[in-house]
Amino acid sequence: MNAIPHIRHTDKFHTDSVITDELCMLHIDLDTIEEDRESNRENSEQSCVLSVDQKNVLRKQRHWERSLASKRSKRRDEKTKRKQNRTDVDNPQFSKRVTKAITKERLAEAQTSGPKLCLDLSMTDNMSDKEISRLASQIRRLYGSNRKATRPFHLYLAALSQDSRLYRECLRMNDGFHSYVMDVTEVSCLDLFPPENVTYLTPDAEEALERIEPDKVYVLGGLVDESIQRKITYMRAKELNVRTARLPIDEYMVKKENPKNFYSKILSINQVLDILLTLRDTGSWIKALQAWFPPGKGFVVAPEAANHSV
């Protein structure tokens, strides 16, 4: 008789258990894969969102860099112009010591006999901190131009108190501000000069300035207004009840087509002074405007006027 094989139930149970465990592990692996896919999908969506934000940041950064590069380029052009129009006070044949002595003598002479240019700084209360900083920078450039001029003006800063934001900003931005050769006072320009001797220069005046007269006082409104409110300096002049005049831009310049279709006759105080200084040296509005009127304002000297000046 054949022997009946003995079946080991433990082997069968062991095999079933292994299969069950493997199936469970497979199920877990599938769940893990699905979770990974879901996580990757969320990360991918988040990455897309981040990339959009990054693009906006990069776009703003590029715009800021282009704006900064444009400002630097304008400053370089302005410095180049200053070098080209520099007077003999900077002639390399003079030593720095001699040049400094000549400059000091010319400024001292202007204090006694030169025409007077006064900055009316009474309109700074409503200016932003950024505008105050820009005005302080313009004052520094204005003084630099006057210091290097062959025939400088006698400069006044009127309505400037020592506890004002502008005064503090001038000290912060301008090295040696305390030693500037000019008169700084808290009183109004009309407390300094008779009204009949004052000419307030404003782009909104009807009358064009013809010449610089040595016995007159020329007032510039110390104002930086990024909101471009019209006629502020003109209204200030009317409030003071003094004569007004404008630079003869309409008489000697014409509009030039530009991509932005932008045209402006509003100049900074240092740009106005550069024009007036060149006018004093040359006696020619055409040469003064050609040398210093910013090309970005959309105006150029009229060809017929330029040809007539040659």
Side-chain angles (χ1 to χ4, degrees):
M1 177 181 292
N2 295 329
I4 298 174
H6 179 69
I7 300 175
R8 297 175 60 187
H9 292 281
T10 56
D11 293 343
K12 180 178 182 302
F13 291 151
H14 175 71
T15 303
D16 291 343
S17 176
V18 170
I19 294 173
T20 302
D21 290 344
E22 289 179 350
L23 288 174
C24 288
M25 291 179 64
L26 180 60
H27 179 69
I28 292 172
D29 289 343
L30 290 173
D31 289 344
T32 302
I33 293 172
E34 186 62 30
E35 290 176 359
D36 289 343
R37 287 177 178 173
E38 185 66 25
S39 177
N40 290 337
R41 190 180 301 112
E42 292 177 356
N43 290 336
S44 177
E45 292 176 355
Q46 186 177 7
S47 176
C48 290
V49 173
L50 288 175
S51 66
V52 171
D53 291 339
Q54 290 171 350
K55 286 179 180 178
N56 289 333
V57 171
L58 289 174
R59 188 180 300 112
K60 291 179 180 179
Q61 183 176 351
R62 291 193 192 100
H63 176 74
W64 178 82
E65 289 174 350
R66 286 195 297 267
S67 177
L68 183 62
S70 176
K71 289 180 180 179
R72 287 176 176 172
S73 177
K74 288 180 180 179
R75 288 174 184 171
R76 284 196 299 268
D77 292 343
E78 186 173 321
K79 286 182 178 179
T80 301
K81 271 190 173 183
R82 292 184 189 281
K83 289 180 180 179
Q84 291 173 347
N85 293 283
R86 192 161 290 174
T87 61
D88 62 350
V89 70
D90 292 316
N91 193 312
Q93 68 180 342
F94 298 125
S95 67
K96 289 184 178 180
R97 184 176 179 180
V98 173
T99 299
K100 187 175 181 180
I102 293 173
T103 299
K104 187 175 180 179
E105 182 180 346
R106 286 175 175 171
L107 289 174
E109 184 180 352
Q111 294 284 99
T112 58
S113 59
K116 297 175 178 60
L117 185 79
C118 179
L119 299 188
D120 177 12
L121 301 173
S122 63
M123 298 172 283
T124 60
D125 288 345
N126 296 325
M127 289 168 55
S128 67
D129 290 341
K130 181 180 178 182
E131 291 168 340
I132 289 289
S133 182
R134 287 182 58 190
L135 180 55
S137 177
Q138 291 179 16
I139 291 174
R140 181 186 67 227
R141 295 177 186 176
L142 175 140
Y143 180 76
S145 291
N146 196 61
R147 183 175 59 84
K148 295 174 182 177
T150 307
R151 304 171 68 193
F153 281 84
H154 181 178
L155 295 181
Y156 291 81
L157 302 186
L160 180 61
S161 61
Q162 293 188 6
D163 61 349
S164 66
R165 288 182 299 155
L166 178 59
Y167 190 88
R168 292 193 296 269
E169 190 67 5
C170 284
L171 290 177
R172 187 186 72 83
M173 294 187 64
N174 306 336
D175 293 336
F177 180 72
H178 279 303
S179 62
Y180 279 8
V181 184
M182 59 183 178
D183 292 351
V184 180
T185 177
E186 296 185 2
V187 302
S188 166
C189 54
L190 283 193
D191 294 325
L192 297 172
F193 314 108
E196 60 271 17
N197 290 348
V198 173
T199 298
Y200 208 113
L201 299 179
T202 168
D204 299 300
E206 294 182 5
E207 180 185 351
L209 183 67
E210 295 182 5
R211 66 184 66 86
I212 302 295
E213 300 180 47
D215 58 339
K216 299 297 183 183
V217 180
Y218 299 93
V219 177
L220 295 177
L223 179 68
V224 174
D225 179 28
E226 295 186 343
S227 64
I228 316 297
Q229 299 181 51
R230 293 183 59 82
K231 295 191 174 182
I232 296 180
T233 54
Y234 181 76
M235 296 304 296
R236 170 61 176 163
K238 289 301 179 184
E239 178 186 331
L240 297 175
N241 196 27
V242 295
R243 175 195 174 214
T244 60
R246 56 176 172 79
L247 299 183
I249 297 172
D250 294 338
E251 285 72 14
Y252 293 102
M253 308 191 80
V254 294
K255 290 182 177 179
K256 181 181 179 181
E257 292 185 6
N258 61 83
K260 296 182 180 179
N261 197 31
F262 174 76
Y263 303 97
S264 175
K265 301 174 186 177
I266 301 174
L267 305 178
S268 64
I269 56 175
N270 55 292
Q271 290 170 340
V272 174
L273 178 67
D274 284 330
I275 291 172
L276 296 180
L277 287 170
T278 304
L279 174 65
R280 287 201 72 203
D281 284 339
T282 65
S284 169
W285 276 112
I286 295 173
K287 291 180 179 179
L289 293 170
Q290 277 182 326
W292 294 110
F293 196 90
K297 297 290 184 178
F299 289 87
V300 294
V301 171
E304 58 272 18
N307 293 334
H308 181 70
S309 67
V310 176

